[in-house]
Amino acid sequence: MKNRTIIAFDFGTRSIGAAIGQEITGTARALTSFKANEGSPNWELIGKLFKEWQPDLVIVGLPLNMDGTEQLVTAQARKFANRIHGRFGVQVELHDERLTTVEARSHLFDHGGYKALNKSKVDSASAVIILESWFEQQYQ
């Protein structure tokens, strides 16, 4: 088992959630959400996040249809992942994110009712679920 610091992103065209995790513990926690314009975030803010946490690896959730086929946003998520790699020189992996938003909403609702379901919390909670499910796959 490695001890890498990993940042995960839940990509969306209007909002991108972020979470941080440690590989040694296999746990993640929500960081923040970034506003995006057609999938393009403020790269300066992403850069600050990278400077603060210095991740060894980045996981980007790959949005697929339930049957595994790609959708328009799938290509945009791949482009986002490529841009992170190009700008920051960090290794990036894509991870199937089907159902993470549903799971995040359910978890937030269970722990705080409707008030907890604000969009930025859902996005960063989705990023946590993406990262934790990536951890689970690594240790199967």
Side-chain angles (χ1 to χ4, degrees):
M1 186 180 299
K2 298 176 185 158
N3 186 18
R4 296 182 291 184
T5 297
I6 302 172
I7 288 181
F9 290 104
D10 175 36
F11 177 82
T13 56
R14 288 181 295 200
S15 180
I16 299 168
I20 185 85
Q22 294 296 325
E23 199 167 15
I24 200 147
T25 60
T27 57
R29 69 182 176 86
L31 283 176
T32 187
S33 290
F34 299 95
K35 292 240 177 291
N37 184 3
E38 294 296 305
S40 189
N42 177 333
W43 288 105
E44 219 172 272
L45 294 176
I46 303 257
K48 283 181 182 167
L49 189 75
F50 279 38
K51 197 173 258 176
E52 181 180 351
W53 295 101
Q54 300 182 358
D56 302 294
L57 176 66
V58 171
I59 305 298
V60 174
L62 190 64
L64 298 166
N65 291 316
M66 289 313 292
D67 64 3
T69 57
E70 299 205 355
Q71 48 188 308
L72 178 62
V73 73
T74 310
Q76 292 173 302
R78 287 185 196 281
K79 188 172 168 186
F80 174 74
N82 290 337
R83 284 190 173 154
I84 285 176
H85 178 71
R87 281 178 187 259
F88 305 106
V90 64
Q91 181 188 347
V92 180
E93 284 185 28
L94 295 162
H95 182 71
D96 180 351
E97 67 161 43
R98 282 175 282 182
L99 298 179
T100 55
T101 301
V102 173
E103 198 176 320
R105 284 176 191 269
S106 165
H107 177 79
L108 287 169
F109 184 79
D110 289 348
H111 291 85
Y114 286 108
K115 288 188 193 107
L117 292 179
N118 98 28
K119 178 76 177 123
S120 66
K121 279 191 181 154
V122 170
D123 292 335
S124 55
S126 293
V128 168
I129 293 164
I130 289 166
L131 187 47
E132 289 183 342
S133 79
W134 182 86
F135 285 140
E136 281 171 27
Q137 274 191 1
Q138 304 310 299
Y139 307 121
Q140 283 179 351

